Amino acid sequence: MLELLRADCLPGQFPPGTGTLADALAGRCLDGHPQIHGADRPVTDVLFDARGHVAGAVCYALQPRQRAGHVLWAHAGEDFAAMAVLVSWARSRLGTGRPWYAFAGFPAAGPAVAGLPCAFRPATAKALHAAGFTPLTGQHYWHRDIGPHLVDQEPGTHDADPVPRPAGWSLRTGDGPAGAEALMDAPRQGIAHLHGLTLHGGGNGLHTLHEDPGRRLIARCLRQAALCAATGMTAVTDTADPDDPVCRLLDEYGFTLLDAFTVHHRPAAKPPARFGRAHGALPDPAGQHAPGHP
């Protein structure tokens, strides 16, 4: 099972170990909280092929208050047929007549980005679509390597406040409408994670490093990560529009857009129509009124 999980890791994601697997089986995310709040303890079932080898695994849970089912994660080596069986099995175990979500919880292995990387895992996305799931929402995932030379980079003026859980910092540069801010998780297994990146006032990117709050902020984040011996950094954005100021800034600083992590949803199946005795008269095709009938 660990081999299946490792095969589905994108650059910047942590290679799963036994501890990560234990968290995944228990439905815990990176910071120790439940992957889905209010959900029952998840169940993990393993699919075997005809030779008795592990062909895939699916973890699912019921969220009683919302009466919703969740596919927390599923891996099958990007085998469409195996993934289709896993998705169908999870729904049959918790009931097909309820709304379902897939990959809506933050994962046990960081960075904490909810959703399925559809471009990297096309067979899984295809199996979800075949089962009636549709994309609901997602975040775009960026990655870049970090070298030790960034320690010597000019940090610039900044404020950094510790964040307890997950451990990291709240960083900002500039003041008021011309400032920039972000949250950065402390490196884990050499990977720092940047999120909540906001450029107030649009961040037109026409200034030099020491004049542009957005550039100063990214430079500061990279330097902070390098000081903590990080070897890479990931980031998420709500859009991949190349004209978006945040996307332009990440691209300028060497980040590569890798995929979109997308949450999927399947609404509850509508109950079949029920027919009963009509009240009053029903018009017949000739425009006359006929007595009510079943």
Side-chain angles (χ1 to χ4, degrees), residues 15 25-26 36 68 77 80 88 165 184 250:
L25 295 174
I36 302 295
F80 169 77
S88 176
R165 196 169 185 180
M184 189 176 78
L250 291 173

Side-chain angles (χ1 to χ4, degrees), residues 34-41 62-66:
Q35 287 181 264
I36 302 295
H37 289 285
D40 292 343
R41 184 175 179 84
L62 178 66
Q63 193 178 23
R65 176 170 291 186
Q66 283 71 26

Side-chain angles (χ1 to χ4, degrees), residues 76-103:
E78 284 308 281
D79 183 306
F80 169 77
M83 185 58 67
V85 169
L86 292 172
V87 173
S88 176
W89 172 260
R91 292 188 61 235
S92 70
R93 296 293 289 173
L94 293 185
T96 58
R98 66 176 75 253
W100 275 84
Y101 296 88
F103 298 90

Side-chain angles (χ1 to χ4, degrees), residues 166-201:
W169 302 271
S170 171
L171 299 105
R172 56 189 178 275
T173 57
D175 297 314
E181 57 185 313
L183 292 171
M184 189 176 78
D185 296 344
R188 183 181 178 189
Q189 296 189 31
I191 305 297
H193 181 55
L194 187 65
H195 53 105
L197 179 57
T198 304
L199 306 180
H200 301 294

Side-chain angles (χ1 to χ4, degrees), residues 63-158:
Q63 193 178 23
R65 176 170 291 186
Q66 283 71 26
R67 299 180 179 178
H70 285 266
V71 175
L72 299 181
W73 53 264
H75 299 275
E78 284 308 281
D79 183 306
F80 169 77
M83 185 58 67
V85 169
L86 292 172
V87 173
S88 176
W89 172 260
R91 292 188 61 235
S92 70
R93 296 293 289 173
L94 293 185
T96 58
R98 66 176 75 253
W100 275 84
Y101 296 88
F103 298 90
F106 293 109
V113 186
L116 174 74
C118 295
F120 185 66
R121 299 183 58 186
T124 300
K126 182 180 178 182
L128 289 175
H129 298 164
F133 286 80
T134 56
L136 183 64
T137 183
Q139 289 184 302
H140 296 271
Y141 177 77
W142 303 71
H143 172 264
R144 66 154 287 170
D145 294 327
I146 293 179
H149 66 280
L150 292 172
V151 171
D152 300 326
Q153 189 170 9
E154 172 59 43
T157 304
H158 70 279

